[in-house]
Amino acid sequence: MAQQQSGPRTVRAARGTALSTQGWQQEAALRMLSNNLDPEVAEHPEKLVVYGGTGKAARDWRSFDAMVRTLQTLKQDETMLVQSGRPVGVMQTHEWAPRVLIANSNLVGDWANWEEFRRLEALGLTMYGQMTAGSWIYIGTQGILQGTYETFAAVAAKRFNGSLAGTITLTAGLGGMGGAQPLAVTMNDGVAICIDCDPSRIARRIEHRYLDVEAKDLKHALDLAVEARDARKSLSIGLLGNAAELVPALLAMDAPIDIVTDQTSAHDPLAYLPIGVAFEDMAGYAAEKPEEFTRRSREAMAKHVEAMVGFQDKGAEVFDYGNSIRGEAQLAGYGRAFDFPGFVPAYIRPLFCEGKGPFRWAALSGDPADIAKTDQAILDLFPENESLARWIKMAGERVHYQGLPARICWLGYGERDKAGERFNEMVADGTLSAPIVIGRDHLDCGSVASPYRETEAMLDGSDAIADWPLLNAMVNVASGASWVSIHHGGGVGIGRSIHAGQVTVADGTKLAGEKIRRVLTNDPGMGVIRHVDAGYDIAADVAAERGVRVPMREGE
Amino acid sequence: MAQQQSGPRTVRAARGTALSTQGWQQEAALRMLSNNLDPEVAEHPEKLVVYGGTGKAARDWRSFDAMVRTLQTLKQDETMLVQSGRPVGVMQTHEWAPRVLIANSNLVGDWANWEEFRRLEALGLTMYGQMTAGSWIYIGTQGILQGTYETFAAVAAKRFNGSLAGTITLTAGLGGMGGAQPLAVTMNDGVAICIDCDPSRIARRIEHRYLDVEAKDLKHALDLAVEARDARKSLSIGLLGNAAELVPALLAMDAPIDIVTDQTSAHDPLAYLPIGVAFEDMAGYAAEKPEEFTRRSREAMAKHVEAMVGFQDKGAEVFDYGNSIRGEAQLAGYGRAFDFPGFVPAYIRPLFCEGKGPFRWAALSGDPADIAKTDQAILDLFPENESLARWIKMAGERVHYQGLPARICWLGYGERDKAGERFNEMVADGTLSAPIVIGRDHLDCGSVASPYRETEAMLDGSDAIADWPLLNAMVNVASGASWVSIHHGGGVGIGRSIHAGQVTVADGTKLAGEKIRRVLTNDPGMGVIRHVDAGYDIAADVAAERGVRVPMREGE
Ligand SMILES: NC(=O)c1ccc[n+]([C@@H]2O[C@H](COP(=O)([O-])OP(=O)(O)OC[C@H]3O[C@@H](n4cnc5c(N)ncnc54)[C@H](O)[C@@H]3O)[C@@H](O)[C@H]2O)c1
Ligand SMILES: NC(=O)c1ccc[n+]([C@@H]2O[C@H](COP(=O)([O-])OP(=O)(O)OC[C@H]3O[C@@H](n4cnc5c(N)ncnc54)[C@H](O)[C@@H]3O)[C@@H](O)[C@H]2O)c1
């Protein structure tokens, strides 16, 4: 057994094929827990914080040590129970059962608020698990890039025949999340004008090759954009300035914009630059006069949103990208703020109806060659899916691995199980040098109840019904996942979401193959039945075509 | 396949050994669902309401039909998913997996209130599952009687050497729940004075043999009580009147009361009789002047509670029996209302620390002789447990079965699995004429987060942490239970609790024996580890003695 330590240290997943556990299922859990805390992966590894504010992989270092110790001796018919990042039990189960069961940050409804959560956290009784932080399947910023890519691919599919070639997208915000926008647009062969008021953000995105060029001014940006568009070349253009001024200016100029969205930090009025304030003065002003600042930033957002609606009136595709800018503009008195939709109902929900969602995997060998081989396997399996092929190729070229090599792409019902079984065969026949872990984010088609995002504006009004993620977790346990988690409050905060995750290990055994087939059928299957139940025709068609059973529609 | 109907009808579980399904696991689910709607069992079967306000077994009759249809064809490696009383999917799992997974009434935290729940219910999108209503293991009023018996047994164990012989208990409220008190006290060999202001309630309890006699007046009640006590005979005495007057009067008389509690409907001030109001005028007055009535009923409760505290000051054992009378008295301005404890922290939590809780089972044969044999098996297995023996014998004599013959008793960690395995052997060797289903209520030791009742005043302040019931559900799925459920809002209402249930079928097979051993070890094991984690010494002792693994206490 490894020497036990009690405080912060550098953690990194083991590589290669030597096990420090009783089997690959346990080894995978140990490596992925460790990988989440790898300094390349985690934002604040010394505090066990992986990403997303305070999303943690373990409650504290003593709990981390106890989990490592327990995983190292855990048998093939035992299961470790984890309560908000702390191991609280080991029980005898069986071979088909998960090796780890996790419940993070869950609170009874009337107590499900940040205040009570922080109180309990301060007492050492809970931790914030976010989504993949506390369930040990975070893979770094590739996830954000891919999600953004997928959204723009869905825009392309809806309005532009599957490609953004020949279109210009206008957006703002090049921060932690928003910075993925320019690359996501160019990966879809489009042109993007990206406004940010912070010059350092523009410089950083160029340095990391997420953004191609910076324009000198508005006119320069538009000239570059039109030229690239006409040549049907992809190009991303940074533009320094205030979006609340520049977006209306572009509208006034009658700029030929096809798509408009925004990822400034509008959810927090103290982080959105008002009109007439210099970027350098922003932080001081917000701190000194927060109420005045809020009033003025909301006024600016109203102008910004009004211009977005103006572009929509002229025929552009316009959507809210999850930053609440519509709500803030409405607070400032702008009446048409909700004239354009949020991105989930507009683009993501149709994918959810097909059981599509963020399928991801990591190579336990640590060898990038294993991911290259799985990339090729995906291309071979789904040759007809062009957007998928574009992503896989570009990701192979552009994405830097953080921690264990990993890949993410969106696959639907009937696809995920195929990919998973293929990976398992590739482990079995030695094509891959070690097992693969297959998981997903919690914001999948049938695994989340989150009325401000993933389940906003459901057709039948069932936004807040949380039975679905719980059924998702239970059916994953019943199908043979390697570890399963139920979380509360990820993404949108305490009190606002309940969601479940699963990770399944392809260790090349026949049993793993059987488990993978069930888990990767049933898990996206939850997305299909959730949307059939809510009345979506696409989901009903998918269920009928692909044989997903819906008892209420049978035998009547 | 059975003829499908679409509206209310009389439902009753099949009896005997002929199956209308593919196996006993499915048959058990079908029979128990049907049994919950048996007119002998359910309060309003035509509305699918089983008990507890609007606690339902199925969303609507169409959903009921679809569940019956699905269960009749469900294979040994398939699982039906039920979302708030409606079957939403059938998925391929495996032999060790549950045949049914249920999630009822769950809502995202910020939406977890009655208003949103009722809105969704009216849209036909959810139902209230209570605890055993929506998870198909309600067995009628025996459950209440046994819970009340167990509480008084715990009082006896704590203060009176394990028996109430030679003691007098004073209580009030002979309603649906409170009416079990007189019989529970006499089953513990004690004497009870039970006050109610409604003469019809007293008459009904005497008719059903839950109450022995009615006293003419206060003095008569006390004379009867003292006489029985001195003869160490059990006796329950009904006394008509207002508890807010009679309890203080008994205190003023210096009546020799040993135990005081109350189950008037104090949780609802419009249902508690104020002082100076005739019982006949109560309903009209409450309807006409609800605010005045509330003020006066709270004042009366303050007097009532003040007298209870007076008895405690004189040395009596006093407790709140879950009706919020302390809170109401405090609202009326009485400062010492919380001087006496709630029943869970006082008596039930020490049992929870040992993994004890409401173990129940039903005979799928429908033959009472099967229950008689299991009763005997329990007596044989635990000969040293006197309170258990007393209960089993009395229950056999006094309890009328409702629907399928059933029994309930409290068993702890290391006991439930023994009982379950014995039952399975008795099915295998033909001692019993058909399989037995084994389940429990959701208010078990490790299956509920309910800060106003089961997890009130936890030692470490973790009352609202809801990870535990979710882990409980998942580990039951992972251990081989036949059906598993996660509910929200049972007992104390929407927003106030999250809880899980499991039912496991002893069909006499070797596989069922393996599953039973795991489920009935791990399920109460959750209670032990939950209380170890919260810092209870009894739980830590039980874990150490009986080998329950707690990773944080290992290998350091
Ligand atoms: N798709 C989703 O559902 C999703 C996912 C993650 C984040 N978000 C939301 O997207 C927003 C951006 O997230 P982030 O992590 O990138 O935030 P961030 O704070 O890292 O970046 C915000 C950027 O906006 C810029 N900005 C602020 N005011 C501006 C103005 N008036 N004009 C031009 N630029 C301005 C800032 O300089 C900064 O670079 C947040 O509101 C976040 O909640 C949505
Ligand atoms: N142990 C638990 O945790 C638990 C379980 C179930 C119910 N309860 C609580 O116990 C209480 C009783 O439940 P129930 O189902 O029996 O209610 P119920 O309404 O059926 O019966 C209440 C009885 O109290 C009587 N009563 C009202 N005011 C009175 C007064 N001033 N003096 C004398 N009698 C009076 C009524 O006549 C009635 O018979 C409720 O508050 C309920 O919430 C607690």
Side-chain angles (χ1 to χ4, degrees):
Chain A
M1 199 178 286
Q3 220 12 70
Q4 295 305 327
Q5 296 171 273
S6 61
R9 78 222 60 163
T10 301
V11 173
R12 191 168 176 266
R15 266 69 175 168
T17 54
L19 301 186
S20 71
T21 57
Q22 311 265 315
W24 273 109
Q25 308 280 320
Q26 300 91 316
E27 185 74 18
L30 178 57
R31 290 193 189 184
M32 294 309 288
L33 163 61
S34 304
N35 194 57
N36 261 13
L37 295 171
D38 185 321
E40 285 180 26
V41 177
E43 275 172 22
H44 302 291
E46 73 291 352
K47 292 187 212 155
L48 300 143
V49 168
V50 183
Y51 79 102
T54 57
K56 292 168 76 172
R59 181 115 42 108
D60 47 38
W61 286 102
R62 270 189 65 227
S63 299
F64 174 79
D65 289 333
M67 290 196 284
V68 170
R69 205 164 60 215
T70 304
L71 286 169
Q72 283 173 336
T73 57
L74 197 75
K75 302 203 185 84
Q76 309 290 12
D77 67 348
E78 287 181 337
T79 297
M80 173 171 80
L81 308 185
V82 177
Q83 182 258 321
S84 291
R86 167 166 293 176
V88 292
V90 175
M91 296 186 175
Q92 198 202 349
T93 53
H94 52 78
E95 257 202 325
W96 271 88
R99 296 285 71 81
V100 186
L101 296 171
I102 299 172
N104 283 331
S105 331
N106 297 284
L107 292 173
V108 178
D110 283 358
W111 290 262
N113 55 65
W114 278 112
E115 201 186 335
E116 174 70 1
F117 180 80
R118 293 294 179 217
R119 190 186 74 80
L120 291 165
E121 193 185 30
L123 288 171
L125 297 173
T126 190
M127 72 161 200
Y128 188 50
Q130 261 289 12
M131 296 190 150
T132 52
S135 57
W136 313 341
I137 186 75
Y138 186 64
I139 56 166
T141 57
Q142 184 180 172
I144 292 147
L145 178 60
Q146 202 276 335
T148 312
Y149 170 82
E150 197 67 37
T151 301
F152 281 103
V155 174
K158 185 176 170 194
R159 278 281 297 267
F160 306 100
N161 290 317
S163 164
L164 296 185
T167 70
I168 301 177
T169 296
L170 171 63
T171 186
L174 291 170
M177 303 283 163
Q181 295 178 103
L183 184 51
V185 171
T186 54
M187 282 181 152
N188 277 294
D189 295 334
V191 174
I193 300 176
C194 304
I195 302 166
D196 203 295
C197 58
D198 178 352
S200 75
R201 297 287 180 128
I202 295 178
R204 191 163 332 139
R205 298 302 156 217
I206 291 184
E207 187 193 329
H208 289 163
R209 298 173 54 222
Y210 269 52
L211 183 66
D212 296 326
V213 296
E214 179 170 2
K216 289 196 296 273
D217 55 30
L218 187 61
K219 179 158 183 319
H220 184 212
L222 202 53
D223 289 346
L224 287 171
V226 168
E227 189 188 328
R229 180 202 64 186
D230 291 345
R232 295 183 73 83
K233 283 209 250 176
S234 71
L235 181 71
S236 59
I237 304 155
L239 176 60
L240 184 67
N242 191 329
E245 296 174 296
L246 295 176
V247 178
L250 282 160
L251 180 69
M253 289 166 65
D254 213 6
I257 305 294
D258 302 285
I259 299 156
V260 188
T261 189
D262 178 59
Q263 280 206 328
T264 57
S265 33
H267 69 284
D268 177 4
L270 294 177
Y272 181 96
L273 185 66
I275 293 174
V277 176
F279 172 70
E280 299 72 42
D281 302 333
M282 178 175 173
Y285 183 28
E288 272 159 44
K289 300 189 176 169
E291 280 163 33
E292 184 181 307
F293 189 102
T294 297
R295 184 179 48 73
R296 289 185 61 186
S297 71
R298 286 204 176 121
E299 277 167 19
M301 288 192 243
K303 295 259 176 274
H304 186 162
V305 171
E306 188 179 10
M308 292 173 78
V309 171
F311 275 114
Q312 178 168 274
D313 288 343
K314 290 192 180 181
E317 182 76 15
V318 181
F319 61 96
D320 175 307
Y321 210 168
N323 66 351
S324 302
I325 197 166
R326 292 175 299 172
E328 296 295 322
Q330 195 177 45
L331 286 175
Y334 177 57
R336 293 183 63 196
F338 280 85
D339 269 21
F340 56 85
F343 75 109
V344 172
Y347 313 110
I348 304 299
R349 190 149 307 140
L351 304 178
F352 281 176
C353 288
E354 294 184 54
K356 278 203 176 152
F359 180 82
R360 56 175 63 176
W361 65 97
L364 292 175
S365 64
D367 185 354
D370 280 353
I371 292 298
K373 289 175 193 162
T374 55
D375 280 350
Q376 190 55 50
I378 293 288
L379 295 174
D380 295 344
L381 277 171
F382 309 107
E384 73 296 343
N385 189 333
E386 281 173 35
S387 145
L388 175 67
R390 198 159 51 222
W391 162 257
I392 292 287
K393 281 178 200 148
M394 299 244 201
E397 291 160 16
R398 298 265 200 135
V399 169
H400 294 270
Y401 297 130
Q402 298 167 261
L404 290 170
R407 183 67 69 229
I408 176 169
C409 67
W410 278 42
L411 292 180
Y413 186 90
E415 296 175 336
R416 298 194 206 183
D417 56 321
K418 272 206 194 71
E421 288 197 86
R422 173 65 61 91
F423 295 172
N424 196 51
E425 287 160 18
M426 291 165 74
V427 174
D429 69 17
T431 307
L432 301 175
S433 61
I436 297 283
V437 285
I438 304 169
R440 57 165 173 75
D441 197 345
H442 296 197
L443 48 73
D444 195 13
C445 50
S447 60
V448 58
S450 184
Y452 290 145
R453 213 157 69 189
E454 288 82 5
T455 56
E456 179 187 330
M458 294 293 291
L459 209 51
D460 61 348
S462 60
D463 309 17
I465 288 186
D467 296 328
W468 301 95
L470 303 178
L471 287 173
N472 178 272
M474 288 196 284
V475 86
N476 277 317
V477 175
S479 298
S482 302
W483 61 99
V484 176
S485 49
I486 301 176
H487 288 205
H488 165 216
V492 283
I494 294 295
R496 295 182 166 178
S497 61
I498 294 178
H499 37 98
Q502 66 78 13
V503 179
T504 306
V505 180
D507 63 14
T509 59
K510 196 168 160 294
L511 180 62
E514 292 289 327
K515 291 177 177 179
I516 285 168
R517 185 162 58 79
R518 286 166 177 79
V519 172
L520 295 182
T521 300
N522 297 340
D523 186 33
M526 286 300 309
V528 178
I529 64 173
R530 199 267 178 267
H531 291 89
V532 173
D533 193 73
Y536 289 89
D537 291 337
I538 316 177
D541 293 345
V542 168
E545 280 163 21
R546 305 188 202 171
V548 182
R549 284 187 59 189
V550 179
M552 294 298 287
R553 294 178 169 235
E554 290 173 351
E556 288 195 298
Chain B
M1 198 177 284
Q3 221 9 69
Q4 294 305 328
Q5 296 172 273
S6 61
R9 80 227 49 169
T10 301
V11 174
R12 190 168 177 266
R15 266 71 174 167
T17 54
L19 300 187
S20 71
T21 57
Q22 310 266 315
W24 273 109
Q25 309 281 319
Q26 300 91 315
E27 184 73 19
L30 179 57
R31 290 193 188 183
M32 294 308 288
L33 162 61
S34 304
N35 194 56
N36 261 14
L37 294 170
D38 186 321
E40 285 181 27
V41 176
E43 276 172 21
H44 303 291
E46 73 291 351
K47 293 188 213 155
L48 299 144
V49 168
V50 184
Y51 79 103
T54 56
K56 292 168 77 171
R59 180 112 47 105
D60 47 37
W61 286 103
R62 269 190 66 227
S63 299
F64 174 79
D65 288 332
M67 290 196 285
V68 170
R69 203 163 62 215
T70 304
L71 286 168
Q72 283 172 337
T73 58
L74 196 76
K75 302 205 184 83
Q76 308 290 11
D77 66 347
E78 286 181 338
T79 297
M80 173 172 79
L81 307 185
V82 177
Q83 183 257 322
S84 292
R86 167 166 293 175
V88 292
V90 175
M91 296 187 175
Q92 197 203 351
T93 53
H94 51 77
E95 256 202 325
W96 271 88
R99 297 286 70 83
V100 186
L101 296 171
I102 299 171
N104 282 332
S105 330
N106 296 283
L107 292 173
V108 179
D110 283 359
W111 290 262
N113 55 64
W114 278 112
E115 202 186 332
E116 173 70 3
F117 180 80
R118 294 292 179 218
R119 190 185 74 80
L120 291 165
E121 194 185 30
L123 288 171
L125 298 173
T126 190
M127 72 162 202
Y128 188 49
Q130 261 289 9
M131 296 188 151
T132 51
S135 58
W136 313 341
I137 185 74
Y138 186 63
I139 56 166
T141 57
Q142 184 180 172
I144 292 145
L145 178 60
Q146 202 277 335
T148 312
Y149 170 81
E150 198 66 38
T151 302
F152 282 104
V155 173
K158 185 176 170 194
R159 279 279 299 264
F160 306 101
N161 291 316
S163 163
L164 295 185
T167 69
I168 301 177
T169 296
L170 171 64
T171 187
L174 290 171
M177 303 285 164
Q181 295 178 104
L183 183 51
V185 171
T186 55
M187 281 180 152
N188 275 293
D189 296 333
V191 174
I193 299 176
C194 304
I195 301 165
D196 202 295
C197 58
D198 179 352
S200 75
R201 297 288 180 128
I202 295 177
R204 187 159 340 135
R205 297 304 156 216
I206 289 182
E207 187 192 330
H208 289 163
R209 295 174 54 222
Y210 270 51
L211 183 66
D212 296 326
V213 296
E214 179 171 3
K216 290 195 296 272
D217 56 30
L218 187 62
K219 183 161 177 315
H220 184 213
L222 201 55
D223 289 346
L224 287 171
V226 168
E227 189 187 325
R229 179 201 64 186
D230 290 346
R232 297 184 72 83
K233 284 209 247 173
S234 70
L235 182 70
S236 59
I237 305 154
L239 176 61
L240 184 67
N242 190 328
E245 297 175 296
L246 295 176
V247 178
L250 283 160
L251 180 69
M253 288 166 65
D254 212 6
I257 305 294
D258 301 285
I259 299 157
V260 188
T261 189
D262 178 59
Q263 280 206 328
T264 57
S265 34
H267 69 283
D268 176 3
L270 293 177
Y272 181 97
L273 184 65
I275 293 174
V277 174
F279 172 70
E280 299 73 39
D281 302 333
M282 180 175 172
Y285 183 27
E288 273 160 42
K289 301 189 176 170
E291 279 162 35
E292 183 181 308
F293 188 101
T294 297
R295 185 179 48 74
R296 288 184 62 186
S297 72
R298 286 204 177 120
E299 278 167 17
M301 288 192 242
K303 295 259 176 277
H304 186 165
V305 171
E306 187 178 10
M308 291 172 80
V309 171
F311 275 113
Q312 178 168 273
D313 288 343
K314 289 192 180 182
E317 183 75 15
V318 181
F319 62 96
D320 175 308
Y321 210 168
N323 66 352
S324 302
I325 197 167
R326 292 174 300 172
E328 296 295 321
Q330 195 178 45
L331 285 175
Y334 177 55
R336 293 184 63 196
F338 281 85
D339 270 22
F340 56 85
F343 76 109
V344 172
Y347 312 111
I348 304 299
R349 189 147 307 138
L351 303 178
F352 280 176
C353 288
E354 295 184 54
K356 279 201 175 154
F359 180 83
R360 57 174 64 175
W361 63 98
L364 291 175
S365 63
D367 185 353
D370 280 353
I371 292 297
K373 289 175 193 162
T374 55
D375 280 350
Q376 189 56 48
I378 294 287
L379 294 174
D380 294 345
L381 277 171
F382 310 107
E384 72 298 341
N385 189 334
E386 281 173 34
S387 146
L388 174 66
R390 197 159 51 221
W391 162 257
I392 291 288
K393 280 179 201 149
M394 299 245 201
E397 291 161 15
R398 298 266 200 135
V399 170
H400 294 271
Y401 296 129
Q402 298 167 265
L404 291 171
R407 182 66 71 229
I408 177 169
C409 67
W410 278 42
L411 292 180
Y413 186 90
E415 295 175 339
R416 299 193 206 183
D417 56 322
K418 273 205 193 72
E421 288 198 87
R422 172 66 60 92
F423 295 171
N424 197 51
E425 286 160 17
M426 291 165 73
V427 175
D429 68 18
T431 307
L432 301 175
S433 60
I436 297 282
V437 285
I438 304 170
R440 57 163 173 76
D441 196 345
H442 295 199
L443 49 72
D444 195 14
C445 49
S447 61
V448 57
S450 185
Y452 289 145
R453 212 156 71 189
E454 288 82 5
T455 56
E456 178 188 329
M458 293 294 289
L459 208 53
D460 61 348
S462 60
D463 310 18
I465 288 186
D467 296 328
W468 301 96
L470 303 178
L471 288 173
N472 178 273
M474 288 197 283
V475 86
N476 278 319
V477 176
S479 298
S482 302
W483 61 97
V484 176
S485 51
I486 301 177
H487 288 206
H488 166 215
V492 283
I494 294 295
R496 295 184 165 177
S497 61
I498 294 178
H499 38 97
Q502 65 78 13
V503 179
T504 306
V505 180
D507 62 15
T509 60
K510 197 168 158 294
L511 180 63
E514 292 289 325
K515 291 177 177 180
I516 285 168
R517 185 161 58 78
R518 286 165 177 79
V519 172
L520 296 182
T521 300
N522 297 340
D523 185 33
M526 286 300 308
V528 177
I529 65 173
R530 199 264 178 268
H531 291 89
V532 172
D533 193 72
Y536 289 89
D537 291 338
I538 315 177
D541 293 346
V542 168
E545 280 163 21
R546 306 188 201 170
V548 182
R549 285 187 58 188
V550 179
M552 294 299 287
R553 295 182 168 230
E554 291 174 349
E556 289 196 298

